[in-house]
Amino acid sequence: GDSVTQMEGPVTLSEEAFLTINCTYTATGYPSLFWYVQYPGEGLQLLLKATKADDKGSNKGFEATYRKETTSFHLEKGSVQVSDSAVYFCALTPYNQGGKLIFGQGTELSVKP
Amino acid sequence: GAVVSQHPSWVICKSGTSVKIECRSLDFQATTMFWYRQFPKQSLMLMATSNEGSKATYEQGVEKDKFLINHASLTLSTLTVTSAHPEDSSFYICSASGSLWAFFGQGTRLTVV
């Protein structure tokens, strides 16, 4: 079945460092791809999404590009802040199953001042 | 974005009792609602998918007699954890979808003592 694999954490960076969190997926057809963020004790917030190959999702300085040839959707940010400390989840919605989400295992990011 | 309200945000119950969690879509009609479970420092696992007016579809390994799901209207779904035990302690999150996208509730932290 469809699945998502993302790099293990925790990832610890200094403020203003460059961030990459790798995400790859296995799916039939053309899934939609997402990044969600979860702050401690809270629910999920949608960070960005992409619905077709070569689409780039972006929000709050984060971006990710839907790469069908490498089945990847890596999250990047040029300069992280302490407030970006959270757990980041890569997810996909299988083709024609609107609303259903399959999540990666999550990557904890800790940004130090 | 659309608003999904989940209630309660936290609950403590005694072992053997039942707990009901509500998920409401406040400003749109949710034809499909999803229930997820998240153990500490782990990812979200889909428990079941419910469509308004029909029986829920449970993922493999999820006990449907223990986790009762009702989706009686286009704005409300409920998850009842019956005869709760300490191993049912977890973070439960719902999402609601009226089209391609799903919107998440804030989550409910259940502690069974």
Side-chain angles (χ1 to χ4, degrees):
Chain A
D2 295 359
S3 65
V4 176
T5 302
Q6 57 184 106
M7 64 187 285
E8 289 193 23
V11 173
T12 303
L13 296 174
S14 297
E15 204 165 23
E16 299 184 1
F18 184 86
L19 168 71
T20 300
I21 301 177
N22 290 338
C23 171
T24 57
Y25 67 90
T26 301
T28 53
Y30 301 93
S32 295
L33 302 175
F34 305 82
W35 277 99
Y36 283 86
V37 59
Q38 185 177 36
Y39 296 98
E42 298 184 11
L44 293 180
Q45 298 178 26
L46 177 63
L47 184 59
L48 53 84
K49 65 180 186 284
T51 59
K52 61 183 187 295
D54 300 325
D55 265 4
K56 177 185 281 188
S58 61
N59 185 26
K60 299 180 182 179
F62 291 91
E63 58 182 35
T65 301
Y66 189 144
R67 300 285 188 201
K68 189 163 177 62
E69 63 276 13
T70 53
T71 61
S72 65
F73 193 55
H74 304 322
L75 181 68
E76 296 182 337
K77 186 175 185 183
S79 176
V80 293
Q81 305 300 312
V82 172
S83 57
D84 294 326
S85 298
V87 180
Y88 293 81
F89 292 95
C90 185
L92 68 82
T93 289
Y95 181 66
N96 267 350
Q97 296 186 46
K100 177 178 179 177
L101 285 160
I102 296 171
F103 287 89
Q105 61 269 49
T107 301
E108 182 179 0
L109 170 66
S110 177
V111 181
K112 305 297 184 186
Chain B
V3 179
V4 175
S5 175
Q6 191 172 336
H7 178 81
S9 55
W10 61 269
V11 57
I12 302 173
C13 71
K14 290 186 177 180
S15 188
T17 61
S18 295
V19 174
K20 180 184 284 188
I21 302 169
E22 292 187 348
C23 181
R24 294 181 184 272
S25 57
L26 298 186
D27 53 1
F28 69 101
Q29 294 185 325
T31 51
T32 308
M33 288 190 174
F34 304 87
W35 288 94
Y36 297 83
R37 182 174 182 176
Q38 184 182 30
F39 289 107
K41 298 203 178 288
Q42 294 190 25
S43 189
L44 284 80
M45 300 302 297
L46 180 64
M47 299 174 66
T49 302
S50 74
N51 293 295
E52 184 265 338
S54 60
K55 288 185 178 180
T57 302
Y58 290 80
E59 296 297 305
Q60 193 172 8
V62 177
E63 299 175 60
K64 59 183 177 183
D65 293 332
K66 181 167 189 59
F67 299 101
L68 301 179
I69 291 171
N70 183 278
H71 191 168
S73 77
L74 285 171
T75 58
L76 173 64
S77 176
T78 60
L79 166 68
T80 301
V81 183
T82 62
S83 186
H85 289 94
E87 57 266 30
D88 298 324
S89 298
S90 189
F91 193 55
Y92 294 87
I93 307 177
C94 73
S95 71
S97 174
S99 60
L100 290 176
W101 315 121
F103 300 92
F104 282 86
Q106 314 93 300
T108 297
R109 183 159 305 284
L110 170 63
T111 302
V112 185
V113 297

